[in-house]
Amino acid sequence: RKQILESVDASLERLGTDYIDLLQIHWPDRYTGGLFGQKDFSPRELQQKEEEYVSFEEQLSTMNELVEAVKLRYIGVSYETPFGVCSMVELAKHNPQLYPRIASIQNGYSLVDRKNFEAGLAEACYHHDVALLPYSPLAGGVLTGKYSNEEVDSNARLNMFPGFMARYRGS
């Protein structure tokens, strides 16, 4: 809660504005599996880490404070799962006075990174009217042909974040 409130106030100050049109909550604060090269979801790993997570209710109620204070117009999520999207939408649907409705999701989607969106998230977004803001549609430059040779400059974006870009190289 504190981090969200502080980051919004700091962003408003930096931007020199009174409100933000859309604020995306970035990265689920829980184990989800399957994102950025992680192994797929595992109930065992979820149970080991579950007590550390910030609840959907806490995240949404904090965002609601900011919407009611007219600091945010809309909220969204980034790298969320179908479970997360549906859970947040249902909370807002049944408690609109407590929780704002998510309007968008920003997840990776390109010709080489289709699984996370097409394997369930597309259906959740369709049924709950949540827009997709595709992240990295050119797969970090891979789809431009920029990295078609075997030698990739060590300073290239593709090599900047170990594990992050491996998903585009088939590693």
Side-chain angles (χ1 to χ4, degrees):
R1 180 180 181 282
K2 181 181 175 190
Q3 289 176 334
I4 293 171
L5 296 173
E6 288 176 357
S7 70
V8 167
D9 285 339
S11 292
L12 290 170
E13 188 174 324
R14 277 192 313 274
L15 293 168
T17 188
D18 296 330
Y19 66 89
I20 297 169
D21 287 316
L22 172 66
L23 182 74
Q24 303 277 138
I25 297 175
H26 209 71
W27 293 103
D29 190 18
R30 66 183 195 289
Y31 169 76
T32 57
L35 300 177
F36 283 156
Q38 297 174 4
K39 21 182 208 180
D40 286 337
F41 177 79
S42 160
R44 182 177 309 144
E45 289 191 41
L46 170 68
Q47 291 168 351
Q48 291 171 353
K49 301 173 184 176
E50 204 164 17
E51 59 280 346
E52 302 169 15
Y53 303 140
V54 177
S55 69
F56 294 132
E57 292 87 352
E58 181 176 345
Q59 293 174 61
L60 290 175
S61 65
T62 303
M63 300 296 265
N64 194 51
E65 282 181 51
L66 295 163
V67 170
E68 288 181 348
V70 196
K71 292 182 179 184
L72 302 179
R73 288 193 173 174
Y74 299 97
I75 67 160
V77 293
S78 295
Y79 274 92
E80 192 48 86
T81 65
F83 171 74
V85 168
C86 292
S87 296
M88 290 184 188
V89 167
E90 286 299 312
L91 280 167
K93 180 179 174 182
H94 296 291
N95 302 286
Q97 69 287 358
L98 298 176
Y99 309 121
R101 192 182 172 296
I102 61 171
S104 61
I105 182 165
Q106 180 186 32
N107 276 33
Y109 189 66
S110 70
L111 291 173
V112 295
D113 183 22
R114 297 170 50 179
K115 175 189 167 200
N116 288 320
F117 183 71
E118 291 182 2
L121 193 53
E123 181 181 21
C125 289
Y126 173 79
H127 286 292
H128 293 297
D129 195 25
V130 174
L132 171 68
L133 304 173
Y135 173 82
S136 198
L138 294 176
V142 169
L143 293 175
T144 67
K146 179 178 181 177
Y147 303 114
S148 59
N149 63 15
E150 292 298 316
E151 294 289 319
V152 176
D153 186 297
S154 61
N155 294 323
R157 181 175 182 210
L158 193 64
N159 293 323
M160 287 177 68
F161 309 102
F164 177 74
M165 300 299 253
R167 63 196 162 140
Y168 299 137
R169 300 189 80 187
S171 311

